[in-house]
Amino acid sequence: EAQVTQNPRYLITVTGKKLTVTCSQNMNHEYMSWYRQDPGLGLRQIYYSMNVEVTDKGDVPEGYKVSRKEKRNFPLILESPSPNQTSLYFCASEFSDTQYFGPGTRLTVL
Amino acid sequence: GQQLNQSPQSMFIQEGEDVSMNCTSSSIFNTWLWYKQDPGEGPVLLIALYKAGELTSNGRLTAQFGITRKDSFLNISASIPSDVGIYFCAGPVNSGGSNYKLTFGKGTLLTVNP
């Protein structure tokens, strides 16, 4: 089954404790991206990747890092999380203008 | 960056009613996409539009690519309770060279009363 998986689905952490949210797709898509969704603000792109080892900033990249060492995985890294990064995060992979979204990761930073 | 203005922000309708929502931009888009997000899920693509003036249907959903290429409309006919969710418009924005990124509207929250 074609899918995008994210882990963990839910995470509660404390300020400053580094964390990684994993994302994996099994569709061999080159384009992947990360979004955060906040009430009243819709979906905002954090980072995207056009292919392996090619990443670029989206609209709200501050406080986040990504890596794309292999095509299927695109982890999102928060080196020092802060409360304003409490949000719902979605990973997506894309082919031919169609974005396939993961199930989301709800992150709470205390 | 380019912004998509989506309206209305929310709608409360009775089952069986038709629904219309729209998305506008100050810039031209070459592609318009409409997504639906069910509660607790990620967005799913409903309809993609690639040509100005194009009218495309997907079951009870119909979307149109505006002639000016600065707007798009989504209509849902004979709404049912499972239409509940957030509807997003989206379009690709060039971010330099051949790179692009997808920009989303803020969404329309649809509630359908049985």
Side-chain angles (χ1 to χ4, degrees):
Chain A
E1 179 190 355
Q3 61 182 354
V4 178
T5 57
Q6 293 178 229
N7 282 292
R9 293 291 311 278
Y10 303 90
L11 179 60
I12 300 174
T13 189
V14 295
T15 299
K17 186 176 181 182
K18 181 180 178 180
L19 66 92
T20 298
V21 184
T22 65
C23 173
S24 182
Q25 51 99 358
N26 62 1
M27 296 168 279
N28 203 36
H29 292 165
E30 293 181 346
Y31 189 102
M32 297 183 73
S33 52
W34 275 101
Y35 296 86
R36 61 177 288 174
Q37 184 176 20
D38 302 290
L41 297 176
L43 286 158
R44 294 181 293 169
Q45 193 178 52
I46 303 170
Y47 267 94
Y48 65 98
S49 170
M50 300 289 286
N51 211 329
V52 175
E53 301 292 1
V54 181
T55 63
D56 206 351
K57 297 176 180 179
D59 295 318
V60 288
E62 293 77 22
Y64 304 95
K65 286 174 58 177
V66 292
S67 70
R68 189 88 182 275
K69 292 184 170 57
E70 50 191 338
K71 187 179 278 190
R72 65 181 292 123
N73 295 324
F74 189 43
L76 179 70
I77 303 155
L78 284 71
E79 294 273 4
S80 183
S82 61
N84 64 12
Q85 292 178 298
T86 292
S87 187
L88 179 59
Y89 291 86
F90 288 100
C91 177
S93 72
E94 179 179 325
F95 178 75
S96 189
D97 287 333
T98 300
Q99 292 239 345
Y100 298 84
F101 284 85
T105 295
R106 186 165 291 283
L107 173 65
T108 301
V109 183
L110 303 174
Chain B
Q2 288 176 280
Q3 290 189 344
L4 296 179
N5 301 306
Q6 194 170 345
S7 66
Q9 284 187 324
S10 61
M11 302 180 75
F12 298 85
I13 62 170
Q14 291 297 126
E15 183 177 359
E17 289 183 0
D18 297 342
V19 172
S20 185
M21 59 191 79
N22 72 82
C23 201
T24 62
S25 172
S26 58
S27 304
I28 288 173
F29 277 79
N30 293 317
T31 300
W32 283 95
L33 307 169
W34 285 94
Y35 286 82
K36 183 195 177 193
Q37 183 179 22
D38 288 325
E41 305 280 336
V44 174
L45 182 69
L46 296 174
I47 293 179
L49 302 161
Y50 301 104
K51 188 177 177 182
E54 179 181 357
L55 187 71
T56 298
S57 293
N58 179 5
R60 293 178 296 106
L61 277 62
T62 301
Q64 184 162 24
F65 193 142
I67 290 291
T68 65
R69 295 163 63 192
K70 293 183 178 181
D71 59 3
S72 179
F73 301 87
L74 176 69
N75 296 316
I76 305 173
S77 62
S79 59
I80 59 178
S82 63
D83 290 334
V84 164
I86 305 176
Y87 292 80
F88 292 100
C89 61
V93 173
N94 185 269
S95 57
S98 60
N99 296 339
Y100 69 97
K101 56 184 180 182
L102 206 58
T103 294
F104 284 81
K106 293 183 179 179
T108 294
L109 174 61
L110 177 64
T111 302
V112 180
N113 296 317

